[in-house]
Amino acid sequence: MPIKRVFHWQPNAGTTVNSQLLTEVSQCAETFNGVREGRWKPNLTFYKPMQRDQTIPADLPRDFLGIALPEQPNKYFLVIRGNGIVTEADSTIQVIMEKLQSYKSRISFTFEGIQYQLGDFLLRVGKVVPTHSENLRGIVMEVEYLPISSIEKGKVIMDEFFDLWQEALSNRSLPGHFSHIDTNFSDFGLSDTYTPQHTAVQYACVMAQMIASVQSVQALRS
């Protein structure tokens, strides 16, 4: 599988993300000679255990993330960040969890945007919104380099592409920048050869960072 990197928009202090900012970033992809190829729509859900008796210690993870990737429609990925666990299941696991009533969905987010082809790269840019809502919570970008499946071998060219992309964005003087979390995949038992599980882990880390940033801003305002 081709390597990917997932980025999130880090707004400048005192600024927030909005639809105009998303439009500007998308336009930058088009002026970067990107060719539109269609929509892109991953989904991420926070789950928590359904404890009927709160006095009994639960031998279960406190919570975990479930991630649906559009390129893997028959799979569902489960990530427990604190324990360094990522696993792949059949998409029907969501129905099974609901019927067993062991976990319930706390909140779901949809990443929705456009995919662009730029030579050997696929660039996906989109908004982050709670499912069934239009309340913009963030902007995410996914970059895929098609010829290589080794994370280490693709590092230099990914870095170079991102530098060029950041330079193009800087010409628009936007109030923020895209940030990448350097994930240690070995903590999750993942190798150098890229898999969909690597993507799931990146989305889990990005979502955690975005939530932490929002909470930090709210703390400063209170």
Side-chain angles (χ1 to χ4, degrees):
M1 178 179 177
I3 57 172
K4 291 184 183 182
R5 281 188 186 175
V6 182
F7 304 81
H8 72 282
W9 182 262
Q10 186 70 48
N12 291 341
T15 66
T16 58
V17 294
N18 54 53
S19 56
Q20 178 58 37
L21 177 60
L22 177 60
T23 299
E24 290 268 3
V25 173
S26 298
Q27 288 175 348
C28 188
E30 295 181 13
T31 58
F32 210 56
N33 295 322
V35 178
R36 280 195 181 210
E37 287 201 334
R39 306 293 298 180
W40 155 75
K41 195 175 181 179
N43 181 269
L44 182 149
T45 301
F46 286 84
Y47 289 95
K48 66 177 182 179
M50 297 176 66
Q51 294 178 243
R52 293 170 178 79
D53 187 346
Q54 298 295 328
T55 65
I56 301 175
D59 188 21
L60 296 167
R62 186 180 66 179
D63 53 34
F64 65 89
L65 302 178
I67 301 169
L69 301 174
E71 67 269 27
Q72 299 284 328
N74 298 320
K75 299 294 182 181
Y76 199 64
F77 300 89
L78 309 175
V79 181
I80 307 174
R81 293 184 65 248
N83 298 67
I85 295 173
V86 57
T87 187
E88 177 182 309
D90 190 273
S91 59
T92 55
I93 189 67
Q94 299 169 80
V95 178
I96 294 172
M97 287 192 297
E98 184 178 342
K99 288 184 176 179
L100 290 176
Q101 295 188 337
S102 55
Y103 284 88
K104 67 177 180 180
S105 169
R106 189 170 69 185
I107 187 171
S108 294
F109 291 93
T110 298
F111 304 78
E112 184 175 4
I114 304 294
Q115 173 175 296
Y116 300 90
Q117 174 101 38
L118 296 90
D120 288 333
F121 290 89
L122 294 179
L123 177 69
R124 304 174 180 100
V125 179
K127 61 185 178 181
V128 183
V129 295
T131 305
H132 310 304
S133 170
E134 289 299 321
N135 186 15
L136 184 65
R137 294 294 182 86
I139 297 173
V140 165
M141 178 177 72
E142 184 182 291
V143 178
E144 182 173 5
Y145 183 55
L146 300 173
I148 293 178
S149 59
S150 165
I151 297 171
E152 187 60 33
K153 290 181 179 178
K155 184 179 186 305
V156 172
I157 195 165
M158 276 291 211
D159 288 344
E160 291 176 349
F161 177 86
F162 184 60
D163 288 344
L164 290 172
W165 171 250
Q166 290 283 64
E167 183 179 342
L169 280 178
S170 68
N171 293 331
R172 292 175 175 261
S173 301
L174 300 179
H177 62 277
F178 277 107
S179 177
H180 175 251
I181 301 169
D182 192 12
T183 307
N184 189 352
F185 293 114
S186 62
D187 289 346
F188 292 84
L190 300 176
S191 68
D192 177 66
T193 302
Y194 200 86
T195 68
Q197 293 186 15
H198 288 75
T199 304
V201 168
Q202 289 195 75
Y203 272 104
C205 293
V206 161
M207 201 67 222
Q209 183 64 40
M210 288 178 59
I211 290 173
S213 296
V214 170
Q215 291 174 339
S216 177
V217 170
Q218 290 174 343
L220 290 172
R221 291 175 176 174
S222 62

